[in-house]
Amino acid sequence: MKKLMFLCIPFLLVNCNQKENKKETEEVIPAEEIAIEEPPVDLKVAVFAEGCYWCTEYVFEAIPGVETVVSGFTGGNKDNLDYNKVVKGEPRHAEGVQIFYDENVVSFEELVNVFFASHDPTTVNQQGPDKGEEYRSIAFYTTEEERQSIVAKIAKLTAEKAFDKPIVTEVKLFETFLPVKEEQQDYIKKNPNDPYVISESIPRINRFVAKYKGKLKKAQY
């Protein structure tokens, strides 16, 4: 399977924290002003957080049966969705993705497999150079069946000693999701020469491709 290639050129290491440029503003942007149009109602929805949403979005978009992936914040206080505070890492919202998928093509269980194959679930509040609670690992569920699927996968990976350290992924009931602005959606596709994309996102995607045993959309990789 073809891997994405990247240029080995000198650049300053960029932290994913810089992606919103930490814009200083007192303006409160209501969620409805940045909300993305809802996909068809016949699709199922799954939500995961596994570090920088640029890479997470790109990974899940490569899975057959996934129709739409939206980047945003999730896992924090559902009553405090001040966008300008959330993008600065408060209050406890994590970078994540909302995945709209056709369950006739891909199952929730398979998306869980993708989740654990595409990041390091053993690092507390960190993925690569990105540190902070917004980069913690969370697998969300909306039904008891989904919760059991996540728990079973963690037990399987633990029994197989798939990782050198214990899995620290939070298994959490889904409550809220706040999409980021359109300029941050599909960021890797729009900005392939971004230093962070070159240094962190593409290598992480290539590691996923090498590790993942399932099918991927040929057009993506």
mmCIF file with all atom_site columns, all heavy atoms in Angstrom, residues 92-117:
data_model
loop_
_atom_site.group_PDB
_atom_site.id
_atom_site.type_symbol
_atom_site.label_atom_id
_atom_site.label_alt_id
_atom_site.label_comp_id
_atom_site.label_asym_id
_atom_site.label_entity_id
_atom_site.label_seq_id
_atom_site.pdbx_PDB_ins_code
_atom_site.Cartn_x
_atom_site.Cartn_y
_atom_site.Cartn_z
_atom_site.occupancy
_atom_site.B_iso_or_equiv
_atom_site.pdbx_formal_charge
_atom_site.auth_seq_id
_atom_site.auth_comp_id
_atom_site.auth_asym_id
_atom_site.auth_atom_id
_atom_site.pdbx_PDB_model_num
ATOM 1   N N   . ARG A 1 92  ? -11.040 21.656 29.896 1.00 0.00 ? 92  ARG A N   1
ATOM 2   C CA  . ARG A 1 92  ? -10.863 20.210 29.785 1.00 0.00 ? 92  ARG A CA  1
ATOM 3   C C   . ARG A 1 92  ? -11.457 19.603 28.523 1.00 0.00 ? 92  ARG A C   1
ATOM 4   O O   . ARG A 1 92  ? -11.707 18.410 28.460 1.00 0.00 ? 92  ARG A O   1
ATOM 5   C CB  . ARG A 1 92  ? -11.420 19.472 31.012 1.00 0.00 ? 92  ARG A CB  1
ATOM 6   C CG  . ARG A 1 92  ? -10.659 19.681 32.273 1.00 0.00 ? 92  ARG A CG  1
ATOM 7   C CD  . ARG A 1 92  ? -10.687 18.449 33.162 1.00 0.00 ? 92  ARG A CD  1
ATOM 8   N NE  . ARG A 1 92  ? -9.798  17.419 32.661 1.00 0.00 ? 92  ARG A NE  1
ATOM 9   C CZ  . ARG A 1 92  ? -10.112 16.124 32.652 1.00 0.00 ? 92  ARG A CZ  1
ATOM 10  N NH1 . ARG A 1 92  ? -11.295 15.720 33.060 1.00 0.00 ? 92  ARG A NH1 1
ATOM 11  N NH2 . ARG A 1 92  ? -9.251  15.239 32.202 1.00 0.00 ? 92  ARG A NH2 1
ATOM 12  N N   . HIS A 1 93  ? -11.692 20.381 27.515 1.00 0.00 ? 93  HIS A N   1
ATOM 13  C CA  . HIS A 1 93  ? -12.130 19.808 26.249 1.00 0.00 ? 93  HIS A CA  1
ATOM 14  C C   . HIS A 1 93  ? -10.922 19.231 25.524 1.00 0.00 ? 93  HIS A C   1
ATOM 15  O O   . HIS A 1 93  ? -9.818  19.779 25.593 1.00 0.00 ? 93  HIS A O   1
ATOM 16  C CB  . HIS A 1 93  ? -12.813 20.862 25.375 1.00 0.00 ? 93  HIS A CB  1
ATOM 17  C CG  . HIS A 1 93  ? -14.161 21.269 25.877 1.00 0.00 ? 93  HIS A CG  1
ATOM 18  N ND1 . HIS A 1 93  ? -15.288 20.518 25.650 1.00 0.00 ? 93  HIS A ND1 1
ATOM 19  C CD2 . HIS A 1 93  ? -14.553 22.330 26.610 1.00 0.00 ? 93  HIS A CD2 1
ATOM 20  C CE1 . HIS A 1 93  ? -16.330 21.105 26.213 1.00 0.00 ? 93  HIS A CE1 1
ATOM 21  N NE2 . HIS A 1 93  ? -15.910 22.205 26.804 1.00 0.00 ? 93  HIS A NE2 1
ATOM 22  N N   . ALA A 1 94  ? -11.127 18.137 24.822 1.00 0.00 ? 94  ALA A N   1
ATOM 23  C CA  . ALA A 1 94  ? -10.045 17.482 24.086 1.00 0.00 ? 94  ALA A CA  1
ATOM 24  C C   . ALA A 1 94  ? -10.260 17.650 22.591 1.00 0.00 ? 94  ALA A C   1
ATOM 25  O O   . ALA A 1 94  ? -11.398 17.739 22.115 1.00 0.00 ? 94  ALA A O   1
ATOM 26  C CB  . ALA A 1 94  ? -9.995  15.996 24.432 1.00 0.00 ? 94  ALA A CB  1
ATOM 27  N N   . GLU A 1 95  ? -9.161  17.691 21.845 1.00 0.00 ? 95  GLU A N   1
ATOM 28  C CA  . GLU A 1 95  ? -9.274  17.706 20.393 1.00 0.00 ? 95  GLU A CA  1
ATOM 29  C C   . GLU A 1 95  ? -9.793  16.343 19.936 1.00 0.00 ? 95  GLU A C   1
ATOM 30  O O   . GLU A 1 95  ? -9.272  15.310 20.347 1.00 0.00 ? 95  GLU A O   1
ATOM 31  C CB  . GLU A 1 95  ? -7.915  17.989 19.754 1.00 0.00 ? 95  GLU A CB  1
ATOM 32  C CG  . GLU A 1 95  ? -7.409  19.383 20.034 1.00 0.00 ? 95  GLU A CG  1
ATOM 33  C CD  . GLU A 1 95  ? -6.320  19.810 19.073 1.00 0.00 ? 95  GLU A CD  1
ATOM 34  O OE1 . GLU A 1 95  ? -6.123  19.129 18.049 1.00 0.00 ? 95  GLU A OE1 1
ATOM 35  O OE2 . GLU A 1 95  ? -5.687  20.839 19.350 1.00 0.00 ? 95  GLU A OE2 1
ATOM 36  N N   . GLY A 1 96  ? -10.811 16.342 19.104 1.00 0.00 ? 96  GLY A N   1
ATOM 37  C CA  . GLY A 1 96  ? -11.382 15.075 18.661 1.00 0.00 ? 96  GLY A CA  1
ATOM 38  C C   . GLY A 1 96  ? -12.057 15.202 17.315 1.00 0.00 ? 96  GLY A C   1
ATOM 39  O O   . GLY A 1 96  ? -12.015 16.251 16.668 1.00 0.00 ? 96  GLY A O   1
ATOM 40  N N   . VAL A 1 97  ? -12.674 14.112 16.906 1.00 0.00 ? 97  VAL A N   1
ATOM 41  C CA  . VAL A 1 97  ? -13.387 14.097 15.628 1.00 0.00 ? 97  VAL A CA  1
ATOM 42  C C   . VAL A 1 97  ? -14.752 13.447 15.792 1.00 0.00 ? 97  VAL A C   1
ATOM 43  O O   . VAL A 1 97  ? -14.940 12.546 16.612 1.00 0.00 ? 97  VAL A O   1
ATOM 44  C CB  . VAL A 1 97  ? -12.595 13.342 14.536 1.00 0.00 ? 97  VAL A CB  1
ATOM 45  C CG1 . VAL A 1 97  ? -11.326 14.083 14.179 1.00 0.00 ? 97  VAL A CG1 1
ATOM 46  C CG2 . VAL A 1 97  ? -12.285 11.910 14.967 1.00 0.00 ? 97  VAL A CG2 1
ATOM 47  N N   . GLN A 1 98  ? -15.676 13.922 15.009 1.00 0.00 ? 98  GLN A N   1
ATOM 48  C CA  . GLN A 1 98  ? -17.024 13.356 14.929 1.00 0.00 ? 98  GLN A CA  1
ATOM 49  C C   . GLN A 1 98  ? -17.113 12.653 13.578 1.00 0.00 ? 98  GLN A C   1
ATOM 50  O O   . GLN A 1 98  ? -16.944 13.271 12.534 1.00 0.00 ? 98  GLN A O   1
ATOM 51  C CB  . GLN A 1 98  ? -18.056 14.477 15.052 1.00 0.00 ? 98  GLN A CB  1
ATOM 52  C CG  . GLN A 1 98  ? -19.462 13.998 15.353 1.00 0.00 ? 98  GLN A CG  1
ATOM 53  C CD  . GLN A 1 98  ? -20.382 15.163 15.699 1.00 0.00 ? 98  GLN A CD  1
ATOM 54  O OE1 . GLN A 1 98  ? -20.255 16.245 15.115 1.00 0.00 ? 98  GLN A OE1 1
ATOM 55  N NE2 . GLN A 1 98  ? -21.296 14.963 16.624 1.00 0.00 ? 98  GLN A NE2 1
ATOM 56  N N   . ILE A 1 99  ? -17.338 11.351 13.625 1.00 0.00 ? 99  ILE A N   1
ATOM 57  C CA  . ILE A 1 99  ? -17.283 10.514 12.422 1.00 0.00 ? 99  ILE A CA  1
ATOM 58  C C   . ILE A 1 99  ? -18.687 10.071 12.032 1.00 0.00 ? 99  ILE A C   1
ATOM 59  O O   . ILE A 1 99  ? -19.394 9.441  12.824 1.00 0.00 ? 99  ILE A O   1
ATOM 60  C CB  . ILE A 1 99  ? -16.408 9.270  12.687 1.00 0.00 ? 99  ILE A CB  1
ATOM 61  C CG1 . ILE A 1 99  ? -15.010 9.708  13.132 1.00 0.00 ? 99  ILE A CG1 1
ATOM 62  C CG2 . ILE A 1 99  ? -16.342 8.378  11.463 1.00 0.00 ? 99  ILE A CG2 1
ATOM 63  C CD1 . ILE A 1 99  ? -14.282 8.650  13.926 1.00 0.00 ? 99  ILE A CD1 1
ATOM 64  N N   . PHE A 1 100 ? -19.090 10.389 10.807 1.00 0.00 ? 100 PHE A N   1
ATOM 65  C CA  . PHE A 1 100 ? -20.384 9.966  10.288 1.00 0.00 ? 100 PHE A CA  1
ATOM 66  C C   . PHE A 1 100 ? -20.140 8.817  9.316  1.00 0.00 ? 100 PHE A C   1
ATOM 67  O O   . PHE A 1 100 ? -19.435 8.985  8.313  1.00 0.00 ? 100 PHE A O   1
ATOM 68  C CB  . PHE A 1 100 ? -21.088 11.130 9.595  1.00 0.00 ? 100 PHE A CB  1
ATOM 69  C CG  . PHE A 1 100 ? -21.414 12.263 10.533 1.00 0.00 ? 100 PHE A CG  1
ATOM 70  C CD1 . PHE A 1 100 ? -20.472 13.240 10.815 1.00 0.00 ? 100 PHE A CD1 1
ATOM 71  C CD2 . PHE A 1 100 ? -22.656 12.340 11.150 1.00 0.00 ? 100 PHE A CD2 1
ATOM 72  C CE1 . PHE A 1 100 ? -20.751 14.280 11.682 1.00 0.00 ? 100 PHE A CE1 1
ATOM 73  C CE2 . PHE A 1 100 ? -22.951 13.371 12.021 1.00 0.00 ? 100 PHE A CE2 1
ATOM 74  C CZ  . PHE A 1 100 ? -22.003 14.343 12.292 1.00 0.00 ? 100 PHE A CZ  1
ATOM 75  N N   . TYR A 1 101 ? -20.714 7.664  9.618  1.00 0.00 ? 101 TYR A N   1
ATOM 76  C CA  . TYR A 1 101 ? -20.379 6.467  8.849  1.00 0.00 ? 101 TYR A CA  1
ATOM 77  C C   . TYR A 1 101 ? -21.602 5.606  8.541  1.00 0.00 ? 101 TYR A C   1
ATOM 78  O O   . TYR A 1 101 ? -22.633 5.668  9.226  1.00 0.00 ? 101 TYR A O   1
ATOM 79  C CB  . TYR A 1 101 ? -19.336 5.637  9.603  1.00 0.00 ? 101 TYR A CB  1
ATOM 80  C CG  . TYR A 1 101 ? -19.830 5.019  10.906 1.00 0.00 ? 101 TYR A CG  1
ATOM 81  C CD1 . TYR A 1 101 ? -20.232 3.687  10.961 1.00 0.00 ? 101 TYR A CD1 1
ATOM 82  C CD2 . TYR A 1 101 ? -19.885 5.751  12.088 1.00 0.00 ? 101 TYR A CD2 1
ATOM 83  C CE1 . TYR A 1 101 ? -20.680 3.113  12.142 1.00 0.00 ? 101 TYR A CE1 1
ATOM 84  C CE2 . TYR A 1 101 ? -20.316 5.197  13.273 1.00 0.00 ? 101 TYR A CE2 1
ATOM 85  C CZ  . TYR A 1 101 ? -20.713 3.867  13.296 1.00 0.00 ? 101 TYR A CZ  1
ATOM 86  O OH  . TYR A 1 101 ? -21.163 3.297  14.469 1.00 0.00 ? 101 TYR A OH  1
ATOM 87  N N   . ASP A 1 102 ? -21.453 4.797  7.494  1.00 0.00 ? 102 ASP A N   1
ATOM 88  C CA  . ASP A 1 102 ? -22.485 3.866  7.065  1.00 0.00 ? 102 ASP A CA  1
ATOM 89  C C   . ASP A 1 102 ? -22.231 2.524  7.739  1.00 0.00 ? 102 ASP A C   1
ATOM 90  O O   . ASP A 1 102 ? -21.249 1.849  7.428  1.00 0.00 ? 102 ASP A O   1
ATOM 91  C CB  . ASP A 1 102 ? -22.440 3.721  5.544  1.00 0.00 ? 102 ASP A CB  1
ATOM 92  C CG  . ASP A 1 102 ? -23.547 2.829  4.993  1.00 0.00 ? 102 ASP A CG  1
ATOM 93  O OD1 . ASP A 1 102 ? -24.201 2.120  5.786  1.00 0.00 ? 102 ASP A OD1 1
ATOM 94  O OD2 . ASP A 1 102 ? -23.734 2.833  3.762  1.00 0.00 ? 102 ASP A OD2 1
ATOM 95  N N   . GLU A 1 103 ? -23.075 2.147  8.685  1.00 0.00 ? 103 GLU A N   1
ATOM 96  C CA  . GLU A 1 103 ? -22.846 0.910  9.431  1.00 0.00 ? 103 GLU A CA  1
ATOM 97  C C   . GLU A 1 103 ? -23.020 -0.338 8.565  1.00 0.00 ? 103 GLU A C   1
ATOM 98  O O   . GLU A 1 103 ? -22.638 -1.433 8.985  1.00 0.00 ? 103 GLU A O   1
ATOM 99  C CB  . GLU A 1 103 ? -23.776 0.833  10.635 1.00 0.00 ? 103 GLU A CB  1
ATOM 100 C CG  . GLU A 1 103 ? -25.245 0.766  10.309 1.00 0.00 ? 103 GLU A CG  1
ATOM 101 C CD  . GLU A 1 103 ? -26.106 0.672  11.556 1.00 0.00 ? 103 GLU A CD  1
ATOM 102 O OE1 . GLU A 1 103 ? -25.591 0.210  12.602 1.00 0.00 ? 103 GLU A OE1 1
ATOM 103 O OE2 . GLU A 1 103 ? -27.293 1.054  11.495 1.00 0.00 ? 103 GLU A OE2 1
ATOM 104 N N   . ASN A 1 104 ? -23.553 -0.179 7.359  1.00 0.00 ? 104 ASN A N   1
ATOM 105 C CA  . ASN A 1 104 ? -23.643 -1.312 6.439  1.00 0.00 ? 104 ASN A CA  1
ATOM 106 C C   . ASN A 1 104 ? -22.294 -1.598 5.777  1.00 0.00 ? 104 ASN A C   1
ATOM 107 O O   . ASN A 1 104 ? -22.111 -2.651 5.167  1.00 0.00 ? 104 ASN A O   1
ATOM 108 C CB  . ASN A 1 104 ? -24.691 -1.044 5.357  1.00 0.00 ? 104 ASN A CB  1
ATOM 109 C CG  . ASN A 1 104 ? -26.089 -0.934 5.919  1.00 0.00 ? 104 ASN A CG  1
ATOM 110 O OD1 . ASN A 1 104 ? -26.496 -1.756 6.736  1.00 0.00 ? 104 ASN A OD1 1
ATOM 111 N ND2 . ASN A 1 104 ? -26.828 0.082  5.485  1.00 0.00 ? 104 ASN A ND2 1
ATOM 112 N N   . VAL A 1 105 ? -21.371 -0.646 5.895  1.00 0.00 ? 105 VAL A N   1
ATOM 113 C CA  . VAL A 1 105 ? -20.044 -0.789 5.286  1.00 0.00 ? 105 VAL A CA  1
ATOM 114 C C   . VAL A 1 105 ? -18.960 -0.981 6.339  1.00 0.00 ? 105 VAL A C   1
ATOM 115 O O   . VAL A 1 105 ? -18.059 -1.805 6.189  1.00 0.00 ? 105 VAL A O   1
ATOM 116 C CB  . VAL A 1 105 ? -19.705 0.430  4.407  1.00 0.00 ? 105 VAL A CB  1
ATOM 117 C CG1 . VAL A 1 105 ? -18.318 0.269  3.776  1.00 0.00 ? 105 VAL A CG1 1
ATOM 118 C CG2 . VAL A 1 105 ? -20.765 0.619  3.329  1.00 0.00 ? 105 VAL A CG2 1
ATOM 119 N N   . VAL A 1 106 ? -19.043 -0.216 7.412  1.00 0.00 ? 106 VAL A N   1
ATOM 120 C CA  . VAL A 1 106 ? -18.047 -0.316 8.475  1.00 0.00 ? 106 VAL A CA  1
ATOM 121 C C   . VAL A 1 106 ? -18.750 -0.315 9.830  1.00 0.00 ? 106 VAL A C   1
ATOM 122 O O   . VAL A 1 106 ? -19.708 0.422  10.041 1.00 0.00 ? 106 VAL A O   1
ATOM 123 C CB  . VAL A 1 106 ? -17.035 0.851  8.387  1.00 0.00 ? 106 VAL A CB  1
ATOM 124 C CG1 . VAL A 1 106 ? -17.708 2.200  8.559  1.00 0.00 ? 106 VAL A CG1 1
ATOM 125 C CG2 . VAL A 1 106 ? -15.900 0.679  9.392  1.00 0.00 ? 106 VAL A CG2 1
ATOM 126 N N   . SER A 1 107 ? -18.274 -1.145 10.720 1.00 0.00 ? 107 SER A N   1
ATOM 127 C CA  . SER A 1 107 ? -18.889 -1.268 12.040 1.00 0.00 ? 107 SER A CA  1
ATOM 128 C C   . SER A 1 107 ? -18.236 -0.340 13.050 1.00 0.00 ? 107 SER A C   1
ATOM 129 O O   . SER A 1 107 ? -17.113 0.143  12.848 1.00 0.00 ? 107 SER A O   1
ATOM 130 C CB  . SER A 1 107 ? -18.767 -2.712 12.542 1.00 0.00 ? 107 SER A CB  1
ATOM 131 O OG  . SER A 1 107 ? -17.402 -3.045 12.770 1.00 0.00 ? 107 SER A OG  1
ATOM 132 N N   . PHE A 1 108 ? -18.915 -0.112 14.150 1.00 0.00 ? 108 PHE A N   1
ATOM 133 C CA  . PHE A 1 108 ? -18.334 0.669  15.241 1.00 0.00 ? 108 PHE A CA  1
ATOM 134 C C   . PHE A 1 108 ? -17.090 -0.031 15.770 1.00 0.00 ? 108 PHE A C   1
ATOM 135 O O   . PHE A 1 108 ? -16.083 0.619  16.081 1.00 0.00 ? 108 PHE A O   1
ATOM 136 C CB  . PHE A 1 108 ? -19.356 0.847  16.369 1.00 0.00 ? 108 PHE A CB  1
ATOM 137 C CG  . PHE A 1 108 ? -18.817 1.628  17.540 1.00 0.00 ? 108 PHE A CG  1
ATOM 138 C CD1 . PHE A 1 108 ? -18.753 3.010  17.507 1.00 0.00 ? 108 PHE A CD1 1
ATOM 139 C CD2 . PHE A 1 108 ? -18.368 0.961  18.684 1.00 0.00 ? 108 PHE A CD2 1
ATOM 140 C CE1 . PHE A 1 108 ? -18.240 3.730  18.588 1.00 0.00 ? 108 PHE A CE1 1
ATOM 141 C CE2 . PHE A 1 108 ? -17.858 1.672  19.768 1.00 0.00 ? 108 PHE A CE2 1
ATOM 142 C CZ  . PHE A 1 108 ? -17.800 3.062  19.718 1.00 0.00 ? 108 PHE A CZ  1
ATOM 143 N N   . GLU A 1 109 ? -17.151 -1.364 15.842 1.00 0.00 ? 109 GLU A N   1
ATOM 144 C CA  . GLU A 1 109 ? -16.000 -2.137 16.316 1.00 0.00 ? 109 GLU A CA  1
ATOM 145 C C   . GLU A 1 109 ? -14.764 -1.880 15.459 1.00 0.00 ? 109 GLU A C   1
ATOM 146 O O   . GLU A 1 109 ? -13.641 -1.780 15.979 1.00 0.00 ? 109 GLU A O   1
ATOM 147 C CB  . GLU A 1 109 ? -16.324 -3.628 16.321 1.00 0.00 ? 109 GLU A CB  1
ATOM 148 C CG  . GLU A 1 109 ? -17.303 -4.074 17.382 1.00 0.00 ? 109 GLU A CG  1
ATOM 149 C CD  . GLU A 1 109 ? -18.749 -3.741 17.039 1.00 0.00 ? 109 GLU A CD  1
ATOM 150 O OE1 . GLU A 1 109 ? -19.014 -3.316 15.886 1.00 0.00 ? 109 GLU A OE1 1
ATOM 151 O OE2 . GLU A 1 109 ? -19.627 -3.891 17.914 1.00 0.00 ? 109 GLU A OE2 1
ATOM 152 N N   . GLU A 1 110 ? -14.953 -1.750 14.144 1.00 0.00 ? 110 GLU A N   1
ATOM 153 C CA  . GLU A 1 110 ? -13.818 -1.504 13.270 1.00 0.00 ? 110 GLU A CA  1
ATOM 154 C C   . GLU A 1 110 ? -13.264 -0.097 13.473 1.00 0.00 ? 110 GLU A C   1
ATOM 155 O O   . GLU A 1 110 ? -12.049 0.123  13.406 1.00 0.00 ? 110 GLU A O   1
ATOM 156 C CB  . GLU A 1 110 ? -14.205 -1.709 11.806 1.00 0.00 ? 110 GLU A CB  1
ATOM 157 C CG  . GLU A 1 110 ? -13.037 -1.667 10.834 1.00 0.00 ? 110 GLU A CG  1
ATOM 158 C CD  . GLU A 1 110 ? -11.966 -2.703 11.147 1.00 0.00 ? 110 GLU A CD  1
ATOM 159 O OE1 . GLU A 1 110 ? -12.293 -3.771 11.720 1.00 0.00 ? 110 GLU A OE1 1
ATOM 160 O OE2 . GLU A 1 110 ? -10.797 -2.434 10.835 1.00 0.00 ? 110 GLU A OE2 1
ATOM 161 N N   . LEU A 1 111 ? -14.136 0.855  13.735 1.00 0.00 ? 111 LEU A N   1
ATOM 162 C CA  . LEU A 1 111 ? -13.668 2.206  14.023 1.00 0.00 ? 111 LEU A CA  1
ATOM 163 C C   . LEU A 1 111 ? -12.863 2.231  15.321 1.00 0.00 ? 111 LEU A C   1
ATOM 164 O O   . LEU A 1 111 ? -11.897 2.990  15.442 1.00 0.00 ? 111 LEU A O   1
ATOM 165 C CB  . LEU A 1 111 ? -14.858 3.163  14.112 1.00 0.00 ? 111 LEU A CB  1
ATOM 166 C CG  . LEU A 1 111 ? -15.659 3.364  12.817 1.00 0.00 ? 111 LEU A CG  1
ATOM 167 C CD1 . LEU A 1 111 ? -16.808 4.336  13.055 1.00 0.00 ? 111 LEU A CD1 1
ATOM 168 C CD2 . LEU A 1 111 ? -14.763 3.861  11.682 1.00 0.00 ? 111 LEU A CD2 1
ATOM 169 N N   . VAL A 1 112 ? -13.248 1.403  16.273 1.00 0.00 ? 112 VAL A N   1
ATOM 170 C CA  . VAL A 1 112 ? -12.472 1.272  17.508 1.00 0.00 ? 112 VAL A CA  1
ATOM 171 C C   . VAL A 1 112 ? -11.085 0.714  17.198 1.00 0.00 ? 112 VAL A C   1
ATOM 172 O O   . VAL A 1 112 ? -10.078 1.148  17.755 1.00 0.00 ? 112 VAL A O   1
ATOM 173 C CB  . VAL A 1 112 ? -13.210 0.384  18.536 1.00 0.00 ? 112 VAL A CB  1
ATOM 174 C CG1 . VAL A 1 112 ? -12.322 0.077  19.733 1.00 0.00 ? 112 VAL A CG1 1
ATOM 175 C CG2 . VAL A 1 112 ? -14.490 1.066  19.000 1.00 0.00 ? 112 VAL A CG2 1
ATOM 176 N N   . ASN A 1 113 ? -11.027 -0.254 16.288 1.00 0.00 ? 113 ASN A N   1
ATOM 177 C CA  . ASN A 1 113 ? -9.732  -0.799 15.870 1.00 0.00 ? 113 ASN A CA  1
ATOM 178 C C   . ASN A 1 113 ? -8.852  0.291  15.263 1.00 0.00 ? 113 ASN A C   1
ATOM 179 O O   . ASN A 1 113 ? -7.650  0.370  15.528 1.00 0.00 ? 113 ASN A O   1
ATOM 180 C CB  . ASN A 1 113 ? -9.933  -1.919 14.837 1.00 0.00 ? 113 ASN A CB  1
ATOM 181 C CG  . ASN A 1 113 ? -10.551 -3.164 15.437 1.00 0.00 ? 113 ASN A CG  1
ATOM 182 O OD1 . ASN A 1 113 ? -10.513 -3.370 16.652 1.00 0.00 ? 113 ASN A OD1 1
ATOM 183 N ND2 . ASN A 1 113 ? -11.142 -3.991 14.596 1.00 0.00 ? 113 ASN A ND2 1
ATOM 184 N N   . VAL A 1 114 ? -9.458  1.131  14.418 1.00 0.00 ? 114 VAL A N   1
ATOM 185 C CA  . VAL A 1 114 ? -8.732  2.235  13.791 1.00 0.00 ? 114 VAL A CA  1
ATOM 186 C C   . VAL A 1 114 ? -8.221  3.198  14.864 1.00 0.00 ? 114 VAL A C   1
ATOM 187 O O   . VAL A 1 114 ? -7.070  3.649  14.825 1.00 0.00 ? 114 VAL A O   1
ATOM 188 C CB  . VAL A 1 114 ? -9.629  2.984  12.792 1.00 0.00 ? 114 VAL A CB  1
ATOM 189 C CG1 . VAL A 1 114 ? -8.930  4.239  12.268 1.00 0.00 ? 114 VAL A CG1 1
ATOM 190 C CG2 . VAL A 1 114 ? -10.027 2.077  11.646 1.00 0.00 ? 114 VAL A CG2 1
ATOM 191 N N   . PHE A 1 115 ? -9.059  3.486  15.815 1.00 0.00 ? 115 PHE A N   1
ATOM 192 C CA  . PHE A 1 115 ? -8.705  4.391  16.911 1.00 0.00 ? 115 PHE A CA  1
ATOM 193 C C   . PHE A 1 115 ? -7.436  3.927  17.623 1.00 0.00 ? 115 PHE A C   1
ATOM 194 O O   . PHE A 1 115 ? -6.480  4.696  17.803 1.00 0.00 ? 115 PHE A O   1
ATOM 195 C CB  . PHE A 1 115 ? -9.873  4.469  17.889 1.00 0.00 ? 115 PHE A CB  1
ATOM 196 C CG  . PHE A 1 115 ? -9.580  5.165  19.183 1.00 0.00 ? 115 PHE A CG  1
ATOM 197 C CD1 . PHE A 1 115 ? -9.453  6.553  19.231 1.00 0.00 ? 115 PHE A CD1 1
ATOM 198 C CD2 . PHE A 1 115 ? -9.447  4.440  20.360 1.00 0.00 ? 115 PHE A CD2 1
ATOM 199 C CE1 . PHE A 1 115 ? -9.190  7.190  20.431 1.00 0.00 ? 115 PHE A CE1 1
ATOM 200 C CE2 . PHE A 1 115 ? -9.190  5.084  21.566 1.00 0.00 ? 115 PHE A CE2 1
ATOM 201 C CZ  . PHE A 1 115 ? -9.054  6.465  21.603 1.00 0.00 ? 115 PHE A CZ  1
ATOM 202 N N   . PHE A 1 116 ? -7.389  2.662  18.005 1.00 0.00 ? 116 PHE A N   1
ATOM 203 C CA  . PHE A 1 116 ? -6.235  2.172  18.759 1.00 0.00 ? 116 PHE A CA  1
ATOM 204 C C   . PHE A 1 116 ? -5.009  1.939  17.875 1.00 0.00 ? 116 PHE A C   1
ATOM 205 O O   . PHE A 1 116 ? -3.889  1.889  18.383 1.00 0.00 ? 116 PHE A O   1
ATOM 206 C CB  . PHE A 1 116 ? -6.601  0.899  19.510 1.00 0.00 ? 116 PHE A CB  1
ATOM 207 C CG  . PHE A 1 116 ? -7.390  1.153  20.767 1.00 0.00 ? 116 PHE A CG  1
ATOM 208 C CD1 . PHE A 1 116 ? -8.745  0.881  20.817 1.00 0.00 ? 116 PHE A CD1 1
ATOM 209 C CD2 . PHE A 1 116 ? -6.775  1.696  21.878 1.00 0.00 ? 116 PHE A CD2 1
ATOM 210 C CE1 . PHE A 1 116 ? -9.483  1.141  21.965 1.00 0.00 ? 116 PHE A CE1 1
ATOM 211 C CE2 . PHE A 1 116 ? -7.503  1.969  23.034 1.00 0.00 ? 116 PHE A CE2 1
ATOM 212 C CZ  . PHE A 1 116 ? -8.855  1.685  23.089 1.00 0.00 ? 116 PHE A CZ  1
ATOM 213 N N   . ALA A 1 117 ? -5.214  1.825  16.571 1.00 0.00 ? 117 ALA A N   1
ATOM 214 C CA  . ALA A 1 117 ? -4.078  1.629  15.664 1.00 0.00 ? 117 ALA A CA  1
ATOM 215 C C   . ALA A 1 117 ? -3.462  2.936  15.207 1.00 0.00 ? 117 ALA A C   1
ATOM 216 O O   . ALA A 1 117 ? -2.370  2.944  14.637 1.00 0.00 ? 117 ALA A O   1
ATOM 217 C CB  . ALA A 1 117 ? -4.526  0.820  14.444 1.00 0.00 ? 117 ALA A CB  1
#
